[in-house]
Amino acid sequence: MKQLLRLSLMFGFAMIAFIALAQKPQIVFENLEHDFGTFKESDGVQTTTFKFTNEGSVPLILSNVRASCGCTTPKWTREPIAPNSTGEIQVSYNPKNRPGSFNKTVMVNSNAENGTTVLRITGKVEEREKTLAEMYPRKIGALRVKTNHISFSRMKENETKTQDLELVNDTDKPIKVGFRTVPDHITVKVEPATIPVNGKGKLIVTYNAKEANTYGFASHRLYLSIDGSNDYRASVGVSATIEEDFGSLTPEELAKAPVATFSEKAHDFGEMKQGDKKDHTFMLTNDGKSELIIRNVRSSCGCTAVAPAKKVIAPGESAPIKVTFDSRGKRGRQSKSITVITNDPKTPTSMLRISCNITT
């Protein structure tokens, strides 16, 4: 008797589940994918429509339709779709600044038996021809350039490198280019000195790392005179990271080289009131067999002052590097870095960090 009752209950539950399943809507799409083919970027936004039918016995509701990226925008039927009725999802793709092939998806969530459906759009965008202003977006006076900064990246201390920057004159008159101020370790010229109407020229910059007489990151500005103008905005930034050349050291010299060891690489001042100053001292020890020389010390912010006690540290000797942080004008969590460059061939650049939380 109990077995019969148990079977009856199981059959009843199965029937309820079957009825509930039978009463669910069913979303059926005509197509799950659309290929836009190849089109030009200048053709603008492309749109297709995915049509579907509710083949269930109760109303279908689309709860959410979301695209895989912001370049794809879906619009869809918001009201409930009755059984055997149709709805649609309109999907648009914006090709602006997106040349090349694309493959994007749209996730459709509903109360249907198959509650999640993935739609897909594909295609290929042919890049439009860029305007002169787009190809040379920055300006130096009346001249157009792709960038107003020349980076020599990493340079050895005795190295000399040359780079050039294209100058474009898209005005209706020739432009004469001269120079107001140029650092001593940089040589610069323009060819031709007068750039013709709708013509191009080159700003040629040569950087002499030896004459720069520094180590680490160095930045400068070249101030140009455009048709005799003294406008300070007509300038080009020049930067380089100058490194000591250890390539010629023999194995014996490397074995006797200095070794820079810090007592710690980071310090947290904890809570600070705005306007307060706090000091911390990092200890630098020379664990090598020859003199350790501090080539350069730089902080990431003017709010951080750094004062090494000495620049030359004997083998086995330690020297303090005092760091003072000024919290004036700061608020919230702060993190600053101090770069220490030495003649340690294995670790010539060390990064120290200080941090705090500033309260008013």
Side-chain angles (χ1 to χ4, degrees):
M1 187 66 179
K2 288 182 179 180
Q3 183 69 16
L4 181 62
L5 179 60
R6 186 179 297 109
L7 290 173
S8 298
L9 287 172
M10 290 175 64
F11 178 76
F13 288 138
M15 287 298 296
I16 292 171
F18 176 78
I19 293 170
L21 187 61
Q23 290 181 345
K24 277 201 169 197
Q26 291 187 8
I27 185 169
V28 179
F29 282 88
E30 293 181 359
N31 295 292
L32 295 177
E33 296 186 11
H34 177 77
D35 185 357
F36 286 108
T38 300
F39 59 95
K40 296 180 179 179
E41 184 181 343
S42 57
D43 291 340
V45 175
Q46 304 294 300
T47 302
T48 188
T49 300
F50 292 92
K51 294 183 178 180
F52 61 88
T53 302
N54 177 10
E55 295 187 359
S57 58
V58 295
L60 169 69
I61 299 172
L62 303 188
S63 56
N64 192 23
V65 179
R66 63 186 185 276
S68 59
C69 95
C71 57
T72 307
T73 306
K75 295 180 181 179
W76 65 94
T77 304
R78 302 281 181 163
E79 62 272 9
I81 297 103
N84 299 317
S85 295
T86 61
E88 62 182 36
I89 298 174
Q90 191 180 83
V91 179
S92 299
Y93 181 78
N94 187 351
K96 186 177 180 181
N97 299 324
R98 297 184 177 96
S101 299
F102 64 89
N103 187 331
K104 305 297 178 182
T105 58
V106 176
M107 190 80 69
V108 181
N109 296 113
S110 70
N111 65 332
E113 178 184 349
N114 48 334
T116 300
T117 306
V118 178
L119 308 177
R120 189 177 301 276
I121 58 170
T122 57
K124 184 177 181 180
V125 180
E126 291 183 348
E127 186 175 8
R128 64 178 172 80
E129 186 176 347
K130 292 185 177 180
T131 65
L132 186 70
E134 288 175 321
M135 291 188 292
Y136 300 89
R138 298 189 179 275
K139 299 197 75 174
I140 301 175
L143 295 170
R144 286 194 172 276
V145 292
K146 290 183 178 180
T147 176
N148 58 2
H149 182 263
I150 296 176
S151 173
F152 286 91
S153 189
R154 299 171 65 178
M155 295 182 67
K156 297 301 182 184
E157 57 188 331
N158 295 317
E159 200 169 7
T160 298
K161 287 184 178 180
T162 298
Q163 288 193 39
D164 58 66
L165 179 66
E166 194 173 35
L167 307 174
V168 177
N169 177 9
D170 65 343
T171 71
D172 57 0
K173 63 179 183 178
I175 296 177
K176 185 177 181 179
V177 184
F179 303 96
R180 293 171 55 200
T181 58
V182 178
D184 292 339
H185 63 284
I186 295 176
T187 304
V188 60
K189 61 181 178 178
V190 171
E191 295 180 350
T194 299
I195 302 175
V197 175
N198 296 320
K200 295 181 179 180
K202 284 186 178 181
L203 175 70
I204 303 169
V205 179
T206 300
Y207 195 105
N208 188 322
K210 184 177 181 180
E211 293 184 5
N213 194 31
T214 190
Y215 291 89
F217 181 77
S219 62
H220 321 272
R221 295 211 75 80
L222 306 178
Y223 291 93
L224 282 63
S225 174
I226 308 296
D227 283 332
S229 170
N230 290 325
D231 187 350
Y232 72 93
R233 292 172 297 182
S235 67
V236 175
V238 178
S239 65
T241 299
I242 302 173
E243 301 174 338
E244 191 163 352
D245 188 0
F246 300 107
S248 61
L249 294 180
T250 65
E252 292 76 14
E253 289 173 325
L254 286 172
K256 295 178 181 179
V259 177
T261 304
F262 287 87
S263 57
E264 57 185 330
K265 291 288 187 74
H267 177 76
D268 191 338
F269 288 114
E271 297 286 333
M272 286 183 67
K273 288 186 177 180
Q274 192 177 71
D276 286 352
K277 290 184 180 181
K278 283 192 176 182
D279 299 331
H280 180 73
T281 299
F282 293 93
M283 294 300 297
L284 172 57
T285 300
N286 179 5
D287 285 331
K289 297 178 180 179
S290 58
E291 287 185 338
L292 177 69
I293 303 171
I294 298 178
R295 300 295 194 191
N296 203 353
V297 179
R298 291 179 180 270
S299 60
S300 62
C301 172
C303 59
T304 308
V306 187
K310 55 169 62 180
K311 292 293 184 72
V312 180
I313 305 171
E317 185 181 11
S318 297
I321 297 179
K322 182 181 177 182
V323 177
T324 302
F325 176 71
D326 187 346
S327 66
R328 284 181 299 176
K330 308 292 182 184
R331 64 174 59 187
R333 189 69 186 171
Q334 300 290 316
S335 179
K336 308 300 177 185
S337 62
I338 301 99
T339 303
V340 182
I341 300 172
T342 70
N343 65 332
D344 176 354
K346 291 185 178 178
T347 313
T349 302
S350 298
M351 190 77 71
L352 309 178
R353 293 195 176 276
I354 57 168
S355 56
C356 66
N357 187 50
I358 300 174
T359 58
T360 54

